Amino acid sequence: MSGPRTMREALAPEKVASRALGTGLTRHEMLRFLDFIEEMQTEAGLVLPHSTPDAYLHITIHLMRNHIEGKLTTISTLAMASRAPYATAVRRIREMEADGLILSRPRTRTGKSFSLHPAPALIEAWQDYAHRIKLVVGRTVGLGEQEEGADYYFGGSYLKARIIPLPAIHTEPLKIAAPLRLLVHADPTFMAMDSLKRQLENVLGAQIRSRALSIDRLRLEVLRNAEAQASAYDIMAVDLPWIGELAEGGMVAPLDAFVEREGVNRSDFHPAGWNGARYRGAQYGIPIQTTPELLAYRTDLFEEAGIAPPDTTDALLDAARRLHRPERGLRGIAWNAARGTPLGHTFLMVMGAFGQPALDLPPLPDGFDASVAHQPLRPMFDTQEAAETADFLRALLEVSPKNILSMSWYERVVAYGDGEVAMAYTYTLLAPYFENDASRPAHGVTGFVPHPAGPHGRPIAPVGGYALALPANLAPERKEAVEKALGVLTSAEVSKLYIMSGSRACPRFSVNADPEVRALSPAITAMDTMARQGLLHYWPRPPAPRISGVIEICGEVFHEMLRGLVGPRDALAEVQRRTEALLNP
């Protein structure tokens, strides 16, 4: 029996209704899937005799893509995307409307202007179609015959589950005067880079000089360097939330031409990390570490107490209270509560799990659209979710270590690794502290889950990490060599070296799929699972130009709240007032 002759026949409502709903793809996966189907159709038209464009297919691809990206679709733009004559395209669109596959919505009060949208049946059909094609592709490349063959990230390099080799020595050394000058963050990834200095120098054929600073000092140095006539650094590590500030201020150079020229495989990077380094549609950094903040918990203590890993904030508080035993030297949970940047990051990330970003970002099916962070946006600290976040953090104080108000990134993982707390919010980046030391009580008995959800939110894994960027004031004669070095330092081969040397924050699918890498840490497996489930997000700390100021205000005012010097409602009102003045002067 032959199949349907056109996409319209395949998507007829009675056929859609008879199908089992697939497992679904994440937003980024579906966009890549749409690109894949469109490219297949294009290639067929170029080389196969008598192959003609399927107008129905191109109409639905364009409609679905705009729906996912939150863009406006009109009948004229949809007809242009069909690759058919205009009159023919309009007839096809009207037929799909009659079949209940396309919905129209008035754009004006007069009702004379409409926007077009995919009907639920069409969305469901594409989910089912994508799931089936994932199975076919998975079987074709040897991922197995079972349904589990679809358990990979479409468009990523999970299809290349192989041992990544050591980086090759460049036959021509970098043509650069003096050392390659790096400004980096003082964390395990860049400490791993420093330990590999000799090996990287051999690969590049050039000396490397690196300067590592703490997060706040690093940002100040990046800003100071931008004021110089010529940059003192060739490559700088920038925290993802800084991208908007640095790009808007013309302090870092766009990298789109480099990405295209060098053939950088964008699909090999976790979308949250790659998109977190974009601003106004341009790429300003190549991710070198993508590290979600997760909830680490002691599996042995949870099993002994008969407690399930928490997936809600209420469950987290209940678990923390049950395991909080100060008389035995054990407290419930450690987290970033130190004044300033640490607590500011905590509030934004936890508020994300309560279902509200710090700014009034447009909602998407799986979160919020941080790509519009360059626009004037209203801060959202006068919301119910912000109030619930404040109350939650105050409740955490009761089950936290005594020094919680001075605890930041490193201190919280030390408290967890040394067995002083049963749980900790922590980046996967710092997991080696207890994973590589068998003497630590948390060694071998740690599980990882996303941030538990508040009443109006969903579990999320807020993404942190750094991208490598080029200073806008880099001397022109150094640019070509520096770009070659940038490609090497962010390559899959070198990224694997960082992991094998102590980092736990790789931005690439292919490296995380490497069997040698996956054997190192359950944190890597947990991160990849969450990436495939669409839980990794960068919108809790969107790259708005003044987001660092928002974080600083939160870290100051809410620290006063946690110290009991100001009530939660007054603190929220103060943060709202100050952030409004900052963002919309």
Side-chain angles (χ1 to χ4, degrees), residues 322-338:
R322 292 173 63 180
L323 296 173
H324 187 66
R325 297 290 182 270
E327 70 279 4
R328 301 180 185 176
L330 180 68
R331 296 181 182 269
I333 187 169
W335 45 290
N336 272 6

mmCIF file of all heavy atoms in Angstrom, residues 322-338:
data_model
loop_
_atom_site.group_PDB
_atom_site.id
_atom_site.type_symbol
_atom_site.label_atom_id
_atom_site.label_comp_id
_atom_site.label_asym_id
_atom_site.label_seq_id
_atom_site.Cartn_x
_atom_site.Cartn_y
_atom_site.Cartn_z
ATOM 1 N N ARG A 322 13.960 16.979 57.516
ATOM 2 C CA ARG A 322 14.076 15.624 58.046
ATOM 3 C C ARG A 322 15.534 15.209 58.228
ATOM 4 O O ARG A 322 15.858 14.419 59.125
ATOM 5 C CB ARG A 322 13.352 14.647 57.117
ATOM 6 C CG ARG A 322 11.837 14.824 57.123
ATOM 7 C CD ARG A 322 11.160 13.956 56.073
ATOM 8 N NE ARG A 322 11.367 12.523 56.314
ATOM 9 C CZ ARG A 322 10.881 11.560 55.535
ATOM 10 N NH1 ARG A 322 10.156 11.893 54.468
ATOM 11 N NH2 ARG A 322 11.106 10.299 55.821
ATOM 12 N N LEU A 323 16.411 15.730 57.379
ATOM 13 C CA LEU A 323 17.826 15.343 57.449
ATOM 14 C C LEU A 323 18.666 16.319 58.261
ATOM 15 O O LEU A 323 19.855 16.059 58.502
ATOM 16 C CB LEU A 323 18.392 15.222 56.033
ATOM 17 C CG LEU A 323 17.767 14.125 55.159
ATOM 18 C CD1 LEU A 323 18.271 14.212 53.728
ATOM 19 C CD2 LEU A 323 18.071 12.747 55.748
ATOM 20 N N HIS A 324 18.089 17.431 58.671
ATOM 21 C CA HIS A 324 18.814 18.458 59.432
ATOM 22 C C HIS A 324 19.038 17.960 60.859
ATOM 23 O O HIS A 324 18.106 17.902 61.664
ATOM 24 C CB HIS A 324 17.988 19.750 59.420
ATOM 25 C CG HIS A 324 18.687 20.932 60.013
ATOM 26 N ND1 HIS A 324 19.799 21.502 59.443
ATOM 27 C CD2 HIS A 324 18.413 21.670 61.139
ATOM 28 C CE1 HIS A 324 20.187 22.538 60.169
ATOM 29 N NE2 HIS A 324 19.362 22.655 61.212
ATOM 30 N N ARG A 325 20.266 17.596 61.187
ATOM 31 C CA ARG A 325 20.606 17.062 62.508
ATOM 32 C C ARG A 325 21.868 17.745 63.025
ATOM 33 O O ARG A 325 22.958 17.178 63.005
ATOM 34 C CB ARG A 325 20.814 15.538 62.441
ATOM 35 C CG ARG A 325 19.585 14.738 62.045
ATOM 36 C CD ARG A 325 18.532 14.752 63.159
ATOM 37 N NE ARG A 325 17.358 13.962 62.823
ATOM 38 C CZ ARG A 325 16.284 14.437 62.209
ATOM 39 N NH1 ARG A 325 16.228 15.723 61.899
ATOM 40 N NH2 ARG A 325 15.262 13.656 61.958
ATOM 41 N N PRO A 326 21.745 19.005 63.458
ATOM 42 C CA PRO A 326 22.930 19.745 63.918
ATOM 43 C C PRO A 326 23.688 19.022 65.028
ATOM 44 O O PRO A 326 24.919 19.118 65.112
ATOM 45 C CB PRO A 326 22.349 21.070 64.422
ATOM 46 C CG PRO A 326 21.025 21.204 63.730
ATOM 47 C CD PRO A 326 20.519 19.809 63.559
ATOM 48 N N GLU A 327 22.948 18.304 65.883
ATOM 49 C CA GLU A 327 23.612 17.598 66.984
ATOM 50 C C GLU A 327 24.532 16.488 66.473
ATOM 51 O O GLU A 327 25.448 16.048 67.194
ATOM 52 C CB GLU A 327 22.564 17.020 67.953
ATOM 53 C CG GLU A 327 21.743 15.850 67.402
ATOM 54 C CD GLU A 327 20.593 16.281 66.502
ATOM 55 O OE1 GLU A 327 20.467 17.500 66.240
ATOM 56 O OE2 GLU A 327 19.819 15.406 66.067
ATOM 57 N N ARG A 328 24.336 16.055 65.240
ATOM 58 C CA ARG A 328 25.199 15.040 64.625
ATOM 59 C C ARG A 328 26.165 15.648 63.613
ATOM 60 O O ARG A 328 26.846 14.923 62.895
ATOM 61 C CB ARG A 328 24.342 13.979 63.928
ATOM 62 C CG ARG A 328 23.372 13.252 64.841
ATOM 63 C CD ARG A 328 22.574 12.220 64.054
ATOM 64 N NE ARG A 328 21.553 11.581 64.880
ATOM 65 C CZ ARG A 328 20.666 10.700 64.415
ATOM 66 N NH1 ARG A 328 20.692 10.359 63.125
ATOM 67 N NH2 ARG A 328 19.764 10.170 65.207
ATOM 68 N N GLY A 329 26.197 16.963 63.565
ATOM 69 C CA GLY A 329 27.099 17.618 62.624
ATOM 70 C C GLY A 329 26.597 17.627 61.198
ATOM 71 O O GLY A 329 27.388 17.815 60.264
ATOM 72 N N LEU A 330 25.281 17.416 61.016
ATOM 73 C CA LEU A 330 24.705 17.396 59.665
ATOM 74 C C LEU A 330 23.592 18.427 59.566
ATOM 75 O O LEU A 330 22.680 18.451 60.399
ATOM 76 C CB LEU A 330 24.147 16.006 59.343
ATOM 77 C CG LEU A 330 23.509 15.848 57.956
ATOM 78 C CD1 LEU A 330 24.566 15.939 56.854
ATOM 79 C CD2 LEU A 330 22.760 14.516 57.850
ATOM 80 N N ARG A 331 23.671 19.251 58.528
ATOM 81 C CA ARG A 331 22.621 20.232 58.269
ATOM 82 C C ARG A 331 21.985 19.947 56.909
ATOM 83 O O ARG A 331 22.514 19.181 56.115
ATOM 84 C CB ARG A 331 23.173 21.650 58.366
ATOM 85 C CG ARG A 331 23.648 21.962 59.777
ATOM 86 C CD ARG A 331 24.188 23.352 59.965
ATOM 87 N NE ARG A 331 24.662 23.540 61.331
ATOM 88 C CZ ARG A 331 23.939 23.998 62.343
ATOM 89 N NH1 ARG A 331 22.662 24.344 62.126
ATOM 90 N NH2 ARG A 331 24.428 24.139 63.552
ATOM 91 N N GLY A 332 20.846 20.596 56.670
ATOM 92 C CA GLY A 332 20.024 20.216 55.524
ATOM 93 C C GLY A 332 20.613 20.549 54.169
ATOM 94 O O GLY A 332 20.686 19.690 53.287
ATOM 95 N N ILE A 333 21.063 21.804 53.963
ATOM 96 C CA ILE A 333 21.412 22.226 52.614
ATOM 97 C C ILE A 333 22.387 23.400 52.641
ATOM 98 O O ILE A 333 22.356 24.228 53.560
ATOM 99 C CB ILE A 333 20.140 22.618 51.820
ATOM 100 C CG1 ILE A 333 20.477 22.893 50.346
ATOM 101 C CG2 ILE A 333 19.407 23.786 52.468
ATOM 102 C CD1 ILE A 333 19.241 23.012 49.460
ATOM 103 N N ALA A 334 23.260 23.452 51.636
ATOM 104 C CA ALA A 334 24.176 24.577 51.441
ATOM 105 C C ALA A 334 23.846 25.252 50.116
ATOM 106 O O ALA A 334 23.453 24.589 49.154
ATOM 107 C CB ALA A 334 25.626 24.093 51.451
ATOM 108 N N TRP A 335 24.025 26.572 50.067
ATOM 109 C CA TRP A 335 23.700 27.328 48.859
ATOM 110 C C TRP A 335 24.433 28.664 48.899
ATOM 111 O O TRP A 335 25.029 29.036 49.911
ATOM 112 C CB TRP A 335 22.183 27.540 48.738
ATOM 113 C CG TRP A 335 21.489 27.961 49.995
ATOM 114 C CD1 TRP A 335 21.276 27.194 51.113
ATOM 115 C CD2 TRP A 335 20.925 29.246 50.303
ATOM 116 N NE1 TRP A 335 20.613 27.912 52.088
ATOM 117 C CE2 TRP A 335 20.380 29.181 51.615
ATOM 118 C CE3 TRP A 335 20.790 30.435 49.594
ATOM 119 C CZ2 TRP A 335 19.743 30.247 52.233
ATOM 120 C CZ3 TRP A 335 20.149 31.511 50.203
ATOM 121 C CH2 TRP A 335 19.636 31.415 51.491
ATOM 122 N N ASN A 336 24.428 29.379 47.799
ATOM 123 C CA ASN A 336 25.080 30.685 47.712
ATOM 124 C C ASN A 336 24.249 31.740 48.436
ATOM 125 O O ASN A 336 23.215 32.163 47.919
ATOM 126 C CB ASN A 336 25.217 31.115 46.245
ATOM 127 C CG ASN A 336 26.484 30.614 45.600
ATOM 128 O OD1 ASN A 336 27.227 29.854 46.204
ATOM 129 N ND2 ASN A 336 26.737 31.042 44.386
ATOM 130 N N ALA A 337 24.707 32.182 49.601
ATOM 131 C CA ALA A 337 23.976 33.221 50.316
ATOM 132 C C ALA A 337 24.888 34.384 50.705
ATOM 133 O O ALA A 337 24.456 35.278 51.433
ATOM 134 C CB ALA A 337 23.302 32.646 51.564
ATOM 135 N N ALA A 338 26.134 34.377 50.227
ATOM 136 C CA ALA A 338 27.041 35.482 50.522
ATOM 137 C C ALA A 338 26.557 36.758 49.844
ATOM 138 O O ALA A 338 25.969 36.723 48.758
ATOM 139 C CB ALA A 338 28.461 35.134 50.065
#
